């Protein structure tokens, strides 16, 4: 597969977003709890990454990891959902199908609050690991059906953990998806040239993301992430003022930013976005994708 290391070549589309601003901000909340691999759920292994790296022998049930994940939906979700309501900030929810199937009322509540239901796969796993298109297609369909059943909204956007398979984008095209977010290589959406119908890539980011609290080279205190996101906003606002259209992605997880000490990062970032609202377009990813499609025709 060829790699595109040039992209727009410094000549980004000269567009403005629907509210007249040049900087769009996408806030994402990942809803994965119950979709991670757990031996107790019948999976061959348990997820190792959590508050600590699991010390339970591979292949054995790990109730501690199960509980670390469960905190996200039992406690963290409620803080985060209320904060978004208070500040009237819309988000995109990356829903794993198995997680939604286990907590459909929680998924429905988030969509009723106005947030977008996007597909995060059936399980929290890299799609690059699928051995066949048929198995991947089955899991994509299971995930979409679970999300639609719980929320009444069929997903039009997709993002999986890690990386897509060689077949993922073709399967998304067949199923009528508007966009995928498995792209970390630009500050603007772009059209994937690999086939028809057109599929948009709305890039995501792993630096302005609370997963960095789980990495040794990442955030330690809540203020670390708040400052980092504010720095990103400052730089991109300056570029937008110079006529360059941009997109900033900010990612959170229920079990990570839902914890009290890290929730302060979520709360303060949402408040900062609301404070800058007249200089930004804070939008769901589906709305960003639609707006880009209206302004930049597919090849």
């Amino acid at each position: 597969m060829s790699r595109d290391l040039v992209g727009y070549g410094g000549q980004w589309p000269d567009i403005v977003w629907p509210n007249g601003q040049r900087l769009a901000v996408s806030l994402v909340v990942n809803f994965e709890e119950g979709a991670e691999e757990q031996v107790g759920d019948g999976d061959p292994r348990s997820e190792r990454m959590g508050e600590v790296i699991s010390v339970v022998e591979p292949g054995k049930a790990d109730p501690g990891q199960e509980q670390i994940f469960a905190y996200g939906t039992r406690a963290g979700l409620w803080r985060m959902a209320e904060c978004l309501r208070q500040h009237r900030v819309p988000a995109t929810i990356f829903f794993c199908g198995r997680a939604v199937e286990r907590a459909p009322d929680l998924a429905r509540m988030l969509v009723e609050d106005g947030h977008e239901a996007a597909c995060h796969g059936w399980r929290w796993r890299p799609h690059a690991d699928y051995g066949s298109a048929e198995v991947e297609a089955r899991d994509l369909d299971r995930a979409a059906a679970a999300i639609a059943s719980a929320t009444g909204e069929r997903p039009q956007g997709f993002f999986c953990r890690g990386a897509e398979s060689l077949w993922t984008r073709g399967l998304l095209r067949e199923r009528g998806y508007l966009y995928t977010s498995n792209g970390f290589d630009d500050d603007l959406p772009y059209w994937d040239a690999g086939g028809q119908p057109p599929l948009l890539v709305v890039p995501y980011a792993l630096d302005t993301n609370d997963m960095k609290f789980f990495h040794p080279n990442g955030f330690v205190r809540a203020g670390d992430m708040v400052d980092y996101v504010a720095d990103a906003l400052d730089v991109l606002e300056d570029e937008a003022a110079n006529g360059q259209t941009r997109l900033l992605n900010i990612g959170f997880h229920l079990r990570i930013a839902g914890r009290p000490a890290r929730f302060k990062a979520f709360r303060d970032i949402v408040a900062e976005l609301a404070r800058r609202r007249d200089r930004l377009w804070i939008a769901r990813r589906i709305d960003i994708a639609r707006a880009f499609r209206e302004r930049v025709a597919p090849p």
Side-chain angles (χ1 to χ4, degrees):
M1 180 185 298
S2 63
R3 296 171 60 194
D4 181 359
L5 299 177
V6 176
Y8 287 115
Q11 301 297 316
W12 294 278
D14 182 17
I15 62 175
V16 294
W17 299 114
N19 69 342
Q21 301 301 324
R22 284 190 179 268
L23 175 56
V25 176
S26 164
L27 191 148
V28 168
V29 175
N30 291 269
F31 190 110
E32 301 160 344
E33 290 71 15
E36 81 284 358
E37 287 194 303
Q38 296 289 359
V39 170
D41 290 335
D43 297 318
R45 65 190 68 81
S46 291
E47 174 62 44
R48 299 201 50 181
M49 185 169 60
E51 293 291 335
V52 295
I53 300 298
S54 174
V55 296
V56 173
E57 183 179 338
K60 294 196 177 222
D62 190 345
Q65 278 287 63
E66 293 176 7
Q67 293 155 9
I68 286 169
F69 273 80
Y71 183 92
T73 42
R74 291 169 61 107
L77 177 147
W78 303 97
R79 291 188 179 103
M80 296 166 74
E82 180 57 28
C83 179
L84 292 171
R85 288 187 201 111
Q86 287 178 356
H87 291 283
R88 297 178 293 108
V89 168
T92 291
I93 315 298
F94 283 164
F95 282 121
C96 286
R98 191 167 79 171
V100 170
E101 190 172 77
R102 289 175 146 173
D105 292 345
L106 303 185
R108 183 179 307 112
M109 177 189 74
L110 291 171
V111 172
E112 287 177 349
D113 280 351
H115 306 306
E116 175 195 359
C119 179
H120 199 23
W122 171 249
R123 290 190 303 174
W124 188 51
R125 58 168 291 182
H127 276 227
D129 289 351
Y130 279 104
S132 73
E134 292 73 22
V135 176
E136 183 178 2
R138 181 197 67 196
D139 280 357
L140 279 172
D141 290 341
R142 290 175 77 189
I147 294 166
S149 175
T151 69
E153 184 174 307
R154 193 162 190 87
Q156 297 183 60
F158 172 82
F159 177 75
C160 70
R161 182 184 187 182
E164 300 166 324
S165 74
L166 295 176
W167 316 288
T168 302
R169 293 191 181 182
L171 296 173
L172 296 177
R173 285 185 168 92
E174 290 172 5
R175 283 153 180 77
Y177 278 78
L178 172 57
Y179 75 87
T180 180
S181 284
N182 280 95
F184 306 104
D185 49 1
D186 216 303
D187 293 316
L188 269 187
Y190 57 89
W191 290 103
D192 176 77
Q196 293 293 330
L199 182 68
L200 193 60
V201 179
V202 179
Y204 191 47
L206 300 179
D207 66 321
T208 45
N209 192 300
D210 68 355
M211 283 294 291
K212 299 288 279 185
F213 283 111
F214 276 8
H215 292 282
N217 65 333
F219 309 129
V220 178
R221 300 288 302 275
D224 297 339
M225 184 174 184
V226 177
D227 290 345
Y228 190 90
V229 170
D231 288 345
L233 287 167
D234 289 345
V235 169
L236 294 179
E237 280 188 17
D238 288 346
E239 293 181 358
N242 288 327
Q244 297 171 338
T245 304
R246 294 290 186 260
L247 165 64
L248 177 65
N249 299 282
I250 310 171
F252 294 99
H253 299 72
L254 300 175
R255 66 190 175 280
I256 301 178
R259 290 275 177 180
R262 293 188 293 252
F263 174 70
K264 187 175 186 298
F266 183 86
R267 182 192 68 190
D268 291 356
I269 287 169
V270 170
E272 181 65 12
L273 292 178
R275 187 181 71 80
R276 302 190 191 211
R277 195 187 303 269
D278 62 344
R279 312 197 304 264
L280 312 168
W281 185 43
I282 308 168
R284 306 177 308 168
R285 299 179 81 74
I286 186 63
D287 300 318
I288 292 168
R290 288 168 176 157
F292 188 87
R293 179 180 61 183
E294 291 172 0
R295 289 158 176 78
V296 180

